[in-house]
């Protein structure tokens, strides 16, 4: 495994940053991003994507980049589709040419939220907004091009870096005496580090002499979230529980917090397939939250 060349796109994102640490033992890691991490790549520029991949010739491409501004995507639809739809198709084409493995991340927002039990990978998709639709376009492009790929669908991502619900609640808890938080959207908060460690666990199996996996046969979509479910209000309460001077947190319905993009009301994903296929047991979201809050970075 140590000879594998791993190209990590977007080491500055929540997931990318954790991946950068987690996959180091698995090979030679080259991180590329918009801020000239090691080499420059801009997913809005097909030439930059192709030239980086053709120069590096990676065995594994980890695409942690995405257009993730759910509400802004309603206004910047073209940009969202270029980064989330077109760029992954170029990555898949280049990956196919090199016979490399493309690992790509997708979202629970490909669903409309009308299920009453956890979504499986084969449940019908029906995104409610531009972000979800653009991510779905990326999934479809990768699948159509074929080759070796893993599309890992995750949800409600948070961590101690970047822009996410946990950091927003921590900031607001210091600024305000009262917070109103949506209580009728249900999902599974997922620590970015869990996504990265699960990814590394899968990659480590590629060259395992004891339990080798055939990635060509296993290419496909896999859900990857923390286990269990909650709503944003309960999640906020669990985050704030650590503070001595806690603000009053009030549950509100989605209708009282209008946003440009519609969200799925229920987007719990079933982790059964990834657990059965790769032997990954995902921890419960509340356990992960405690671990994250106790971690230093
Ligand atoms: N966040 C969530 O709640 C959530 C939920 C479900 C699924 N996901 C999926 O999980 C994956 C990782 O998300 P995340 O939360 O880690 O995202 P994130 O923190 O918003 O990071 C996005 C990354 O993409 C990079 N990027 C954006 N546009 C780019 C471009 N044109 N060229 C090159 N790089 C570009 C950013 O680079 P800069 O630092 O230069 O901006 C940043 O490193 C994504 O596929 C996302 O769709 C996320």
């Amino acid at each position: 495994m140590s000879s594998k060349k791993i190209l990590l796109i977007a080491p500055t994102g929540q997931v990318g940053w954790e991946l950068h640490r987690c996959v180091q033992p698995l090979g030679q890691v080259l991180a590329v991003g918009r801020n000239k991490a090691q080499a420059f790549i801009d997913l809005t520029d097909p030439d930059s994507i192709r030239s980086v991949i053709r120069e590096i010739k990676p065995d594994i491409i980890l695409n942690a980049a995405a257009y993730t501004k759910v509400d802004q995507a309603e206004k910047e639809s073209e940009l969202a589709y270029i980064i989330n739809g077109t760029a992954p198709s170029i990555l898949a084409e280049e990956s196919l040419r090199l016979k490399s493995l493309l690992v790509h991340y997708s979202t629970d927002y490909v669903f409309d939220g009308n299920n009453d039990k956890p979504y499986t990978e084969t449940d019908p998709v029906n995104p409610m907004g531009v972000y979800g639709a653009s991510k779905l376009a990326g999934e479809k492009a990768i699948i159509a091009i074929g080759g070796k790929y893993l599309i890992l669908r995750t949800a409600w991502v948070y961590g101690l870096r970047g822009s996410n619900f946990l950091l927003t609640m921590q900031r607001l808890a210091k600024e305000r005496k009262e917070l109103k938080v949506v209580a009728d959207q249900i999902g599974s908060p997922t620590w970015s580090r869990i996504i990265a460690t699960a990814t590394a666990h899968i990659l480590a199996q590629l060259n395992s002499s004891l339990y080798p996996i055939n990635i060509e046969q296993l290419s496909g979509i896999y859900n990857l979230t923390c286990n269990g479910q909650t709503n944003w209000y309960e999640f906020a309460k669990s985050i704030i529980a650590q503070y001595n001077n806690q603000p009053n947190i009030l549950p509100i319905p989605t209708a009282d917090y209008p946003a440009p993009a519609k969200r799925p009301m229920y987007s719990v994903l079933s982790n059964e397939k990834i657990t059965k296929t790769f032997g990954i047991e995902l921890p419960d979201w509340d356990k992960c939250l405690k671990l994250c809050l106790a971690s230093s970075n």
Side-chain angles (χ1 to χ4, degrees):
M1 193 73 194
S2 58
S3 60
K4 292 263 188 264
K5 246 192 214 176
I6 302 171
L7 179 69
L8 169 61
I9 304 173
T12 50
Q14 296 189 81
V15 173
W17 192 76
E18 295 289 349
L19 278 170
H20 198 212
R21 308 202 291 190
C22 283
V23 301
Q24 293 294 338
L26 302 176
Q28 182 194 355
V29 181
L30 296 120
V32 297
R34 280 196 295 200
N35 61 353
K36 297 192 194 282
Q38 280 169 2
F40 180 80
I41 197 168
D42 180 353
L43 293 199
T44 63
D45 174 8
D47 287 342
S48 92
I49 303 174
R50 291 193 185 100
S51 68
V52 163
I53 294 177
R54 289 177 192 186
E55 193 188 320
I56 294 174
K57 297 185 183 58
D59 302 294
I60 297 166
I61 300 170
L62 300 178
N63 180 27
Y67 181 102
T68 54
K69 297 180 192 117
V70 175
D71 287 321
Q72 212 167 308
E74 298 297 312
K75 279 193 186 151
E76 292 186 329
S77 150
E78 198 182 335
L79 183 60
Y81 271 93
I82 289 171
I83 296 171
N84 294 343
T86 310
S89 78
I90 298 167
L91 292 173
E93 282 165 8
E94 293 302 312
S95 169
L96 183 66
R97 266 168 39 97
L98 291 171
K99 296 188 173 49
S100 59
L101 166 66
L102 173 62
V103 180
H104 177 78
Y105 297 90
S106 193
T107 173
D108 54 332
Y109 282 20
V110 297
F111 294 115
D112 60 19
N114 293 328
N115 258 25
D116 54 7
K117 60 179 191 326
Y119 282 96
T120 68
E121 290 77 356
T122 52
D123 276 336
V125 287
N126 183 27
M128 307 293 286
V130 169
Y131 167 72
S134 67
K135 293 293 294 181
L136 180 59
E139 287 187 1
K140 285 184 172 167
I142 292 169
I143 294 166
I145 289 159
K148 295 185 276 186
Y149 67 90
L150 295 171
I151 295 170
L152 305 177
R153 276 188 191 148
T154 191
W156 291 34
V157 179
Y158 69 88
L160 296 181
R161 291 172 59 92
S163 168
N164 60 61
F165 184 82
L166 179 142
L167 295 177
T168 302
M169 287 302 121
Q170 286 186 327
R171 177 173 51 79
L172 293 178
K174 287 179 198 149
E175 291 172 5
R176 298 196 193 164
K177 291 205 165 65
E178 187 174 275
L179 300 177
K180 290 180 181 163
V181 184
V182 169
D184 56 0
Q185 288 173 30
I186 297 169
S188 307
T190 301
W191 186 16
S192 48
R193 191 169 298 174
I194 294 299
I195 300 168
T197 49
T199 304
H201 184 84
I202 295 172
L203 297 181
Q205 293 178 44
L206 290 177
N207 270 13
S208 158
S209 50
L210 275 179
Y211 306 106
I213 58 169
N214 184 338
I215 203 66
E216 264 148 56
Q217 284 171 7
L218 296 179
S219 286
I221 298 176
Y222 293 86
N223 295 337
L224 168 52
T225 62
C226 283
N227 276 332
Q229 63 179 57
T230 189
N231 59 57
W232 293 114
Y233 163 72
E234 294 292 344
F235 185 30
K237 282 206 304 183
S238 304
I239 294 166
I240 302 307
Q242 61 172 312
Y243 289 97
N244 292 331
N245 295 322
Q246 292 176 20
N248 192 22
I249 307 186
L250 300 173
I252 57 164
T254 300
D256 288 1
Y257 188 77
K262 233 177 148 189
R263 269 88 170 152
M265 297 301 285
Y266 174 92
S267 66
V268 179
L269 305 181
S270 163
N271 289 315
E272 212 177 303
K273 183 180 174 192
I274 202 166
T275 298
K276 272 193 183 150
T277 310
F278 299 111
I280 296 168
E281 293 288 347
L282 277 312
D284 286 341
W285 73 267
D286 46 349
K287 180 180 170 188
C288 275
L289 175 62
K290 287 193 185 98
L291 285 172
C292 173
L293 292 173
S295 70
S296 54
N297 59 42

